[in-house]
Amino acid sequence: MVEGSNLSTKEKILKVSEQVFAEKGFDGARVDEIARKAGVNKALIYYYFDGKDDLLDHLFNLLIDEVRNFIVEEVKDLNLDDDEAFNKVFNNTLNLLETKRDILKVAFIESLKGDTKHSIIFNLGEIIMGSEIERITEVFTSMGLEVPEDKQYMLVGEFFTGILPMIGFVIFKDNFSNYFGTDPDKIKDHFKKVFKKSHLGFHDLSK
Amino acid sequence: MVEGSNLSTKEKILKVSEQVFAEKGFDGARVDEIARKAGVNKALIYYYFDGKDDLLDHLFNLLIDEVRNFIVEEVKDLNLDDDEAFNKVFNNTLNLLETKRDILKVAFIESLKGDTKHSIIFNLGEIIMGSEIERITEVFTSMGLEVPEDKQYMLVGEFFTGILPMIGFVIFKDNFSNYFGTDPDKIKDHFKKVFKKSHLGFHDLSK
Amino acid sequence: MVEGSNLSTKEKILKVSEQVFAEKGFDGARVDEIARKAGVNKALIYYYFDGKDDLLDHLFNLLIDEVRNFIVEEVKDLNLDDDEAFNKVFNNTLNLLETKRDILKVAFIESLKGDTKHSIIFNLGEIIMGSEIERITEVFTSMGLEVPEDKQYMLVGEFFTGILPMIGFVIFKDNFSNYFGTDPDKIKDHFKKVFKKSHLGFHDLSK
Amino acid sequence: MVEGSNLSTKEKILKVSEQVFAEKGFDGARVDEIARKAGVNKALIYYYFDGKDDLLDHLFNLLIDEVRNFIVEEVKDLNLDDDEAFNKVFNNTLNLLETKRDILKVAFIESLKGDTKHSIIFNLGEIIMGSEIERITEVFTSMGLEVPEDKQYMLVGEFFTGILPMIGFVIFKDNFSNYFGTDPDKIKDHFKKVFKKSHLGFHDLSK
DNA sequence: CATGAATGAGCCTTCATTCAT
DNA sequence: TATGAATGAAGGCTCATTCAT
């Protein structure tokens, strides 16, 4: 199947790019290494893609699309009953992010650069928070409470106590375990507990 | 003063390196650009330093040293009376980190790389958490409560709900404001409030 | 033929390297000059070879191989009848060395360096002398004479009155003629006569 | 003594240059290394000398001068009675050359270069051979024999069976012993014997 | 005399990208 | 599609040399 082989090669290139970008950073990555690890001729990369930058664009677009689809999927039949719902959304989100760990690393790095070319982390944050803020708003409303007017405050809170720790956990987890000698199997449970307490702490109305 | 001029040039190179590394990332930074922006001959950089890597090492060492000194200073006459102490330490820490924003960006990026050459973020975390965990332990003890046995749980919590959001805030703040159109003047106050609630949420014993 | 074109470029680079190394010495040679004189892009040199050092290694290996092959070829059907044999071996050896004049210059220079990285001249000497010493031994034995026990003495003699003058002649001949204004056409005949007398002088048993 | 200290520093620079040039070759030598090993500031080298080239010129001039003086000294009261005289001249010459081993290495290398800037080996050869050829001529005449008309033949012979092996022995001796595992203490005696036989072989009138 | 600092030119090597087939 | 070969534009680093004091 020509088409099959075609797609397969293209996808292999993307997959390997993701790994190499994550390991070396975009600037540190070499097209030669991608070609070698993907087992394809270097020129073929330029046949399928417009260059190194284009590879990154494709990967970022895939990331955005998958997260967006996930959110739509996740929220569409969301039947909120407090704790249960939180756990479900949280677990699913974490699982999704873990499958995108490599490109998330790159997104993190690129979002820190001086130029504003890539702000993927904020794009992602917007998508995820958008839904959560909406959900929260719903909850608040359904409980007869007033939604905090200050959207900026909400954004800061959601991003720096929600998005950031979550993505941070996904991309730092391995190096963290490695450095502190913690048990990689238990760390996820620790984080779940920790995240819940802290993030709910942020949402706590009593303070 | 010969020594003064010497130090000045060396320091200028370091200062500019810090900025360029932060803006372009270490791999994306060019020695030529550092030389140009520092107003020095490129070869002079190699007179004072062993190369690009050495520049980074110096900057990281300076970062580590300053944070360590700060922690010692901060903790030495710490008279804990709850809220007051927390605010003071938190504000001072945030201020310190803000002065080191550029090199923190680089440290973040490098700590994400595949190789384990640089783990500065974890080094910093260890230094800061070390003191806090000690402090927390003291508080718990003085309150007649039992310190959570699981150190790993503490580490995860401190790092992902304390260190990470804090450093994350410092290095992402500007891009965050820029992206979400938030008010740069108010964002810090938002974050302070948010951080307190979430981090105390993590430490909350009632849950 | 793709292979032909490939080899051709690679060989052209090697050939030009040999010339430039011989003219400027390895340390004085410039990769830029090699590329220019070979009519290839400088980066192409690094496509075919690992660097400047690797070029030299290739050339040295070629030299060693050719000399070794020559010796095997030359000695395999050696029917020794004194004078005739000496002339034949001497002439053929000289002819061979003359085709390798350039790289022999470089080998000479590198063998003089302080580090023991390259000892090509001694490698060559070993190969050539090995055969001659064997041959001499044969002759002595066949003549009912005793082979001089002292191998060290033989080595010194063969090297400093055989190998060294021979290679020396090949690599110094042109500059010698140029300096002393001697006739380049006659010098070779002079040397042949001279070498024979002196080298046989060394082997003379009557003294 | 200012003047004394002055001379001492200048001489130390020259001495170290000689060593470094011999070890690394002129092109491979670094002014920095010379300064460091001589224990002087690099700029001081440029105070005493016009540059790297000038260092080499000084060393070459010293070499030429010393050899010239030696020859004059050696020949002025030469009372030739065959064997005795040969031994004396040979030994003294070898001793002299050994004291100049380092710079002779450099001279050798530089005499092989493509440009005709340095032909020190031939300069030396001319000086030494000049005297020997004169001496030989004398001897021949005094013996009522005819001097070989062909000066070119003599030059070739003297150079390639006299000068070259002699200088070659001096500069290659150590590496030779190192490579072949020969006894450094005995090698000189071997060479003396070998040289005599071969060089006299060249001069042998009976062939 | 002596030195720390500074510099311009250049060197080896790399790399993203393109070409020819 | 696929590939080996080729290339222009840097990039990090070095080095002989000079300057200011």
Side-chain angles (χ1 to χ4, degrees):
Chain A
M1 230 190 299
V2 175
E3 178 119 326
S5 144
N6 177 337
L7 281 176
S8 167
T9 298
K10 208 177 165 183
E11 282 171 353
K12 200 192 295 174
I13 292 170
L14 279 175
K15 199 178 131 218
V16 172
S17 296
E18 197 172 356
Q19 291 165 0
V20 175
F21 286 163
E23 195 183 332
K24 308 284 176 70
F26 179 74
D27 289 316
R30 301 297 166 228
V31 176
D32 270 284
E33 186 180 352
I34 293 172
R36 185 167 36 78
K37 287 192 173 161
V40 304
N41 184 282
K42 189 172 39 163
L44 205 56
I45 293 178
Y46 289 87
Y47 175 80
Y48 284 115
F49 302 95
D50 284 339
K52 206 181 159 189
D53 285 335
D54 192 40
L55 278 173
L56 189 60
D57 287 342
H58 269 77
L59 291 171
F60 279 167
N61 287 337
L62 281 175
L63 172 64
I64 295 287
D65 286 350
E66 286 194 39
V67 171
R68 204 190 306 274
N69 289 338
F70 165 81
I71 292 297
V72 170
E73 221 36 53
E74 188 69 12
V75 169
K76 78 160 184 254
D77 55 353
L78 188 65
N79 202 348
L80 288 169
D81 38 282
D82 232 35
D83 208 45
E84 197 63 33
F86 180 91
N87 280 338
K88 191 188 157 216
V89 171
F90 173 74
N91 281 327
N92 288 348
T93 305
L94 200 58
N95 288 340
L96 170 72
L97 295 182
E98 279 180 333
T99 68
K100 310 299 285 179
R101 194 199 63 149
D102 281 344
I103 193 61
L104 278 173
K105 273 194 180 185
V106 188
F108 224 81
I109 293 175
E110 293 304 310
S111 298
L112 280 170
K113 295 269 185 72
D115 53 54
T116 47
K117 215 167 58 185
H118 296 298
S119 310
I120 312 301
I121 288 300
F122 301 125
N123 290 329
L124 289 182
E126 203 169 19
I127 295 170
I128 300 176
M129 289 189 299
S131 87
E132 191 181 355
I133 289 183
E134 277 171 32
R135 198 166 57 80
I136 298 289
T137 306
E138 257 181 78
V139 172
F140 272 64
T141 309
S142 73
M143 287 168 73
L145 296 170
E146 207 180 0
V147 179
E149 332 83 64
D150 197 336
K151 278 249 163 169
Q152 294 196 13
Y153 171 81
M154 281 298 281
L155 271 173
V156 170
E158 287 297 336
F159 188 82
F160 289 106
T161 80
I163 305 293
L164 187 64
M166 214 160 184
I167 297 182
F169 173 73
V170 170
I171 65 182
F172 274 118
K173 159 178 65 167
D174 288 348
N175 286 359
F176 180 92
S177 283
N178 191 47
Y179 184 87
F180 289 109
T182 52
D183 187 339
D185 293 331
K186 293 185 187 153
I187 193 177
K188 198 170 171 180
D189 283 333
H190 289 326
F191 178 70
K192 282 186 183 175
K193 210 163 145 193
V194 154
F195 181 84
K196 204 172 191 171
K197 287 179 75 176
S198 83
H199 195 55
L200 288 185
F202 156 61
H203 282 306
D204 191 353
L205 301 173
S206 67
K207 284 171 190 169
Chain B
M1 227 193 297
V2 175
E3 178 127 321
S5 148
N6 178 340
L7 280 179
S8 169
T9 298
K10 213 177 161 182
E11 281 172 350
K12 201 193 299 173
I13 292 171
L14 279 175
K15 201 178 125 216
V16 172
S17 296
E18 197 172 357
Q19 290 164 2
V20 175
F21 286 164
E23 194 183 333
K24 306 287 174 68
F26 179 75
D27 290 315
R30 302 293 162 232
V31 177
D32 270 280
E33 185 180 352
I34 294 172
R36 187 167 35 78
K37 287 192 175 162
V40 304
N41 185 285
K42 186 169 45 160
L44 202 57
I45 294 178
Y46 291 89
Y47 176 77
Y48 284 113
F49 301 95
D50 284 339
K52 207 179 157 190
D53 284 336
D54 193 39
L55 279 174
L56 189 59
D57 287 342
H58 269 77
L59 291 171
F60 279 166
N61 287 337
L62 282 176
L63 171 65
I64 295 287
D65 285 350
E66 286 194 39
V67 171
R68 204 191 304 275
N69 289 339
F70 165 82
I71 292 296
V72 170
E73 248 355 88
E74 190 68 13
V75 170
K76 78 159 183 251
D77 55 353
L78 190 64
N79 201 349
L80 288 170
D81 37 280
D82 231 33
D83 208 46
E84 196 62 32
F86 180 91
N87 280 337
K88 190 189 157 215
V89 171
F90 173 75
N91 282 326
N92 288 348
T93 306
L94 199 58
N95 287 340
L96 169 72
L97 295 181
E98 279 179 334
T99 69
K100 308 301 282 179
R101 195 199 62 149
D102 281 344
I103 193 61
L104 279 172
K105 274 194 181 187
V106 188
F108 226 80
I109 293 175
E110 294 304 309
S111 297
L112 280 170
K113 294 269 187 72
D115 54 55
T116 47
K117 217 168 55 184
H118 295 298
S119 311
I120 312 299
I121 288 300
F122 302 124
N123 289 329
L124 290 182
E126 206 169 17
I127 295 170
I128 301 176
M129 289 188 299
S131 85
E132 190 179 356
I133 289 182
E134 278 172 32
R135 198 166 57 81
I136 298 292
T137 307
E138 256 182 80
V139 173
F140 273 63
T141 309
S142 73
M143 288 168 72
L145 295 170
E146 208 180 358
V147 179
E149 329 86 61
D150 198 336
K151 279 247 164 172
Q152 295 196 12
Y153 170 82
M154 282 297 281
L155 271 174
V156 170
E158 287 297 338
F159 188 82
F160 289 107
T161 79
I163 306 291
L164 187 63
M166 214 159 184
I167 297 182
F169 173 73
V170 168
I171 64 183
F172 274 118
K173 171 180 53 173
D174 288 348
N175 286 359
F176 180 91
S177 284
N178 191 45
Y179 183 87
F180 288 108
T182 53
D183 187 340
D185 292 332
K186 294 184 186 153
I187 195 177
K188 198 170 171 181
D189 284 333
H190 289 328
F191 178 69
K192 283 185 182 175
K193 209 162 145 194
V194 154
F195 181 84
K196 204 172 190 173
K197 288 179 73 178
S198 81
H199 195 56
L200 289 185
F202 156 62
H203 282 305
D204 191 354
L205 302 171
S206 67
K207 283 168 192 171
Chain C
M1 227 192 298
V2 175
E3 179 127 322
S5 146
N6 177 337
L7 282 176
S8 168
T9 298
K10 212 177 160 180
E11 281 172 351
K12 200 192 298 172
I13 292 170
L14 279 176
K15 201 177 126 215
V16 172
S17 297
E18 198 172 357
Q19 291 165 1
V20 176
F21 286 163
E23 196 184 330
K24 307 287 175 67
F26 179 76
D27 289 316
R30 301 294 163 231
V31 176
D32 269 282
E33 186 180 351
I34 293 173
R36 188 166 34 78
K37 286 192 174 162
V40 304
N41 184 285
K42 188 171 40 162
L44 202 57
I45 294 178
Y46 292 88
Y47 176 76
Y48 285 113
F49 301 95
D50 284 341
K52 208 179 157 190
D53 285 336
D54 192 40
L55 278 174
L56 189 59
D57 287 342
H58 269 78
L59 291 171
F60 278 166
N61 286 338
L62 282 176
L63 172 65
I64 295 286
D65 286 349
E66 285 193 41
V67 171
R68 204 190 305 274
N69 290 338
F70 165 82
I71 293 297
V72 170
E73 236 13 73
E74 190 67 15
V75 170
K76 78 159 183 248
D77 56 353
L78 190 65
N79 201 349
L80 288 170
D81 38 282
D82 234 34
D83 209 46
E84 196 62 31
F86 180 91
N87 280 337
K88 190 189 156 219
V89 172
F90 173 75
N91 282 326
N92 288 348
T93 305
L94 200 58
N95 288 339
L96 170 71
L97 295 182
E98 280 179 333
T99 69
K100 308 300 284 180
R101 194 198 62 148
D102 280 345
I103 192 61
L104 279 172
K105 274 194 181 186
V106 188
F108 226 80
I109 292 174
E110 294 303 309
S111 298
L112 280 169
K113 295 268 187 71
D115 53 56
T116 46
K117 216 168 58 185
H118 296 299
S119 311
I120 312 299
I121 288 300
F122 301 125
N123 290 328
L124 289 182
E126 204 169 17
I127 295 171
I128 301 176
M129 288 188 300
S131 85
E132 191 180 354
I133 289 181
E134 277 172 32
R135 197 166 57 80
I136 298 291
T137 307
E138 257 181 79
V139 174
F140 273 64
T141 309
S142 72
M143 287 167 74
L145 297 170
E146 207 179 359
V147 179
E149 329 84 65
D150 198 336
K151 280 248 162 169
Q152 295 198 11
Y153 171 81
M154 284 296 282
L155 272 174
V156 170
E158 288 297 338
F159 189 83
F160 290 106
T161 80
I163 306 292
L164 186 64
M166 214 159 183
I167 296 181
F169 173 73
V170 169
I171 65 183
F172 274 119
K173 168 179 56 173
D174 289 347
N175 286 0
F176 180 91
S177 284
N178 191 47
Y179 184 87
F180 289 109
T182 52
D183 187 340
D185 293 333
K186 292 184 188 157
I187 195 178
K188 198 171 171 181
D189 284 331
H190 289 327
F191 178 70
K192 282 185 184 177
K193 211 163 143 192
V194 155
F195 182 83
K196 205 173 190 171
K197 288 179 74 176
S198 81
H199 196 56
L200 288 184
F202 156 61
H203 282 305
D204 192 353
L205 302 171
S206 67
K207 284 168 190 172
Chain D
M1 230 192 300
V2 175
E3 179 119 326
S5 146
N6 178 338
L7 281 177
S8 168
T9 298
K10 206 175 166 182
E11 281 171 354
K12 199 192 296 174
I13 292 171
L14 279 174
K15 197 176 130 219
V16 172
S17 297
E18 197 172 357
Q19 291 165 359
V20 176
F21 286 164
E23 195 184 331
K24 308 284 176 71
F26 179 74
D27 289 315
R30 304 294 166 229
V31 177
D32 270 283
E33 185 180 353
I34 293 171
R36 186 166 35 79
K37 287 191 174 163
V40 304
N41 184 282
K42 188 169 43 162
L44 206 56
I45 293 179
Y46 289 88
Y47 175 80
Y48 283 116
F49 301 95
D50 285 339
K52 205 180 160 189
D53 285 334
D54 192 40
L55 277 173
L56 189 61
D57 288 341
H58 269 77
L59 291 171
F60 279 167
N61 287 337
L62 280 176
L63 172 65
I64 295 287
D65 286 350
E66 285 194 40
V67 171
R68 204 189 306 274
N69 289 339
F70 165 81
I71 293 297
V72 169
E73 228 25 64
E74 190 69 12
V75 170
K76 78 160 185 251
D77 56 352
L78 189 65
N79 201 350
L80 287 169
D81 36 282
D82 232 31
D83 209 46
E84 197 62 31
F86 179 91
N87 279 338
K88 190 188 156 218
V89 172
F90 172 75
N91 282 326
N92 288 347
T93 306
L94 199 57
N95 288 339
L96 170 70
L97 295 182
E98 279 179 333
T99 67
K100 308 301 283 181
R101 195 198 63 147
D102 281 344
I103 193 61
L104 278 172
K105 274 194 180 185
V106 188
F108 225 80
I109 293 174
E110 294 303 310
S111 298
L112 281 169
K113 293 269 186 74
D115 53 55
T116 46
K117 215 168 56 185
H118 296 298
S119 310
I120 311 300
I121 288 299
F122 302 125
N123 289 330
L124 289 183
E126 204 169 17
I127 295 171
I128 300 175
M129 290 188 299
S131 85
E132 191 180 357
I133 289 182
E134 276 171 33
R135 197 166 58 79
I136 298 290
T137 307
E138 255 182 82
V139 173
F140 273 63
T141 308
S142 74
M143 289 167 72
L145 296 170
E146 207 180 358
V147 179
E149 332 84 62
D150 198 337
K151 279 251 164 166
Q152 294 197 11
Y153 171 82
M154 283 297 281
L155 271 174
V156 170
E158 287 297 339
F159 188 83
F160 289 107
T161 80
I163 305 293
L164 187 64
M166 215 156 181
I167 295 182
F169 173 74
V170 170
I171 65 183
F172 275 119
K173 168 180 58 176
D174 288 347
N175 286 358
F176 179 92
S177 282
N178 190 48
Y179 183 88
F180 290 109
T182 52
D183 187 340
D185 293 332
K186 294 184 187 154
I187 195 176
K188 198 170 172 181
D189 285 332
H190 290 326
F191 178 69
K192 283 185 182 176
K193 210 162 143 192
V194 155
F195 181 83
K196 204 172 191 172
K197 287 179 75 177
S198 82
H199 196 56
L200 289 184
F202 156 61
H203 282 306
D204 191 353
L205 301 171
S206 68
K207 283 170 189 171

